[in-house]
Amino acid sequence: MLPLETDRAMRIVETPSGVRRAVVLADGSRIELNGGTKLAIDDGAARLVTLERGEATFHVTHDAAHPFVVQSGTMRLEDVGTVFNVARVGPHLGVQVAEGAVMFQPEQERIMLTAGAALSHLDGEAPRLSGVAVGDVGGWRNGRLVFQRTPVRLVAAALERSTGVVVQVAPGLLETPFTGSIGVTGAPIA
C-alpha cells in the first residue's frame, strides 16, 4: 500500500516575526522567507511547498517535466519558470510575479499570471487581478513595502512580518484601503 500524501515527511521551516531566512532546495530553487512565515516542504517531492502563513519569494529552477507547486490553504500555484512572491494572512492569499509566469488554480480557474501581474484572493470570493511594478515584487527583501488599495489589516500584517512589531488596527479601519509605500528595516536574510 502506498503512503498517503499526508503521511510523507514534511520539513517545517518557520521564521519569527522580524527575522528573515533563505532555504535552497535540492533542485537549486531558492525560497526567501519573510518574518512570521511557516512553510512545509515535502521532502518526498521537493517541488511541493505549502505556505501555511506569512510571506515568501520563490526563485524557481525551471523543470517542465516536474512543475514547482505552492499550496496555500485550498489555493494552488504552479510555476511556469519564474520569480514570484506569495503572502498568506488568514483566508487571504496575495501573489505577485517578477519574472516568468505562475498558474493560479491550474485544475480550476487556470489564471496565468505573468511578470508585473498581481492576484489577491479571499477564500470564498473571486480572485482580483491587478498590476505591480516588477521591482516592487517581494519589496520586503529590500526594506520597502508597497501597497495598492490594500486593506489596512493586511498592511498591519506585512509590517509585523517585516519588523516583528505588533501593529494594532482599530476595528473600524480594518478594511480601509491603503495606497503607498513604507520603508522598513529588518534582519538580513540568513
Side-chain angles (χ1 to χ4, degrees):
M1 182 168 129
L2 294 173
L4 296 173
E5 247 183 77
T6 56
D7 291 342
R8 285 182 167 158
M10 299 292 276
R11 179 168 42 117
I12 304 298
V13 180
E14 194 166 7
T15 57
S17 292
V19 177
R20 302 173 186 167
R21 180 176 175 194
V23 175
V24 178
L25 303 180
D27 71 350
S29 295
R30 178 178 162 90
I31 305 170
E32 295 177 83
L33 289 78
N34 198 354
T37 298
K38 184 176 182 181
L39 285 178
I41 300 169
D42 186 339
D43 285 326
R47 294 182 64 86
L48 173 63
V49 174
T50 301
L51 177 65
E52 295 184 20
R53 69 170 185 278
E55 182 173 29
T57 299
F58 298 84
H59 305 262
V60 178
T61 300
H62 185 64
D63 181 347
H66 303 96
F68 188 93
V69 174
V70 177
Q71 184 78 31
S72 186
T74 60
M75 300 301 110
R76 184 178 176 96
L77 300 164
E78 188 172 297
D79 170 67
V80 189
T82 190
V83 175
F84 60 102
N85 192 79
V86 181
R88 180 77 175 184
V89 177
H92 180 267
L93 179 74
V95 181
Q96 299 177 330
V97 180
E99 292 178 18
V102 172
M103 177 75 70
F104 174 77
Q105 293 291 73
E107 304 298 322
Q108 297 165 16
E109 286 100 333
R110 298 190 56 78
I111 298 172
M112 183 68 74
L113 304 171
T114 57
L119 178 140
S120 179
H121 183 270
L122 188 61
D123 289 350
E125 295 184 8
R128 185 174 55 95
L129 297 172
S130 63
V132 62
V134 170
D136 290 339
V137 175
W140 59 268
R141 297 172 297 143
N142 302 314
R144 186 166 182 240
L145 305 177
V146 179
F147 304 97
Q148 188 174 36
R149 299 197 44 79
T150 304
V152 170
R153 66 182 168 75
L154 297 178
V155 173
L159 284 167
E160 184 172 339
R161 279 193 306 269
S162 294
T163 66
V165 175
V166 176
V167 178
Q168 294 185 347
V169 179
L173 297 176
L174 290 171
E175 298 305 318
T176 302
F178 173 79
T179 297
S181 64
I182 301 172
V184 295
T185 58
I189 294 174

